[in-house]
Amino acid sequence: MVKDMWDMIIPIIMIVASNCFYHIFSKSTPQGINAFATLMITYLTATIITGIFFILFVKPENVLFELEKINWASIGLGITIIGLEAGYIFAYRSGWQVNTAPLIANTCLAIALIVIGALLYKENITIKQLAGIAICLIGIVMINF
């Protein structure tokens, strides 16, 4: 039971910690640099680090087997991440604050994912979720006024 709890908590801690640093680094990107130049270095760094992890965590005889399992989602995720990264850099450059931009973006994201979950994955939308959407929308209005 305790192991299962940690299996669920540790990824959330990783996500929250990584997101905190993500926004600190995005906000710290120099104003004058081309956003795609900085993203190129970002992805070069990510490529090297993930390559090292891949080598460390996959037995040499399984490398090709693991690579054969990759599908279109990996390419789509790469393209999507560029939009996410560039979007935040542009948001911060346009004057959004680090304590507001992610809150608004993630609130809108949560609402969109409720709809996507229902349409694509046949997940149920509950009364609690609808109430949550209403509260989120009220929160967005309150933050902006």
Side-chain angles (χ1 to χ4, degrees):
M1 175 81 167
V2 172
K3 183 184 179 328
D4 292 338
M5 181 181 72
W6 282 110
D7 287 345
M8 294 189 70
I9 291 174
I10 289 183
I12 299 301
I13 292 170
M14 288 174 61
I15 291 167
V16 171
S18 295
N19 262 292
C20 288
F21 285 110
Y22 168 84
H23 288 284
I24 290 167
F25 296 142
S26 292
K27 182 84 169 163
S28 300
T29 300
Q31 186 75 16
I33 190 170
N34 180 287
F36 297 104
T38 191
L39 288 176
M40 182 175 60
I41 300 304
T42 299
Y43 291 112
L44 180 60
T45 303
T47 299
I48 292 168
I49 292 171
T50 55
I52 290 168
F53 282 144
F54 181 64
I55 291 167
L56 290 175
F57 290 106
V58 173
K59 294 179 183 174
E61 62 270 14
N62 291 340
V63 167
L64 289 177
F65 175 72
E66 290 298 325
L67 292 174
E68 288 174 351
K69 293 192 267 183
I70 295 172
N71 70 359
W72 59 270
S74 297
I75 294 168
L77 187 58
I79 293 167
T80 302
I81 289 172
I82 292 168
L84 176 68
E85 306 274 356
Y88 272 114
I89 289 171
F90 293 143
Y92 290 134
R93 286 184 177 176
S94 72
W96 280 92
Q97 295 181 357
V98 75
N99 65 358
T100 309
L103 183 61
I104 301 248
N106 286 323
T107 300
C108 293
L109 171 64
I111 293 168
L113 288 175
I114 288 172
V115 174
I116 289 169
L119 294 176
L120 295 182
Y121 301 105
K122 308 299 183 225
E123 297 172 353
N124 294 325
I125 296 179
T126 66
I127 298 297
K128 285 182 185 178
Q129 287 171 315
L130 292 174
I133 290 171
I135 292 168
C136 287
L137 292 173
I138 292 167
I140 287 175
V141 170
M142 292 177 69
I143 285 173
N144 288 303
F145 291 107

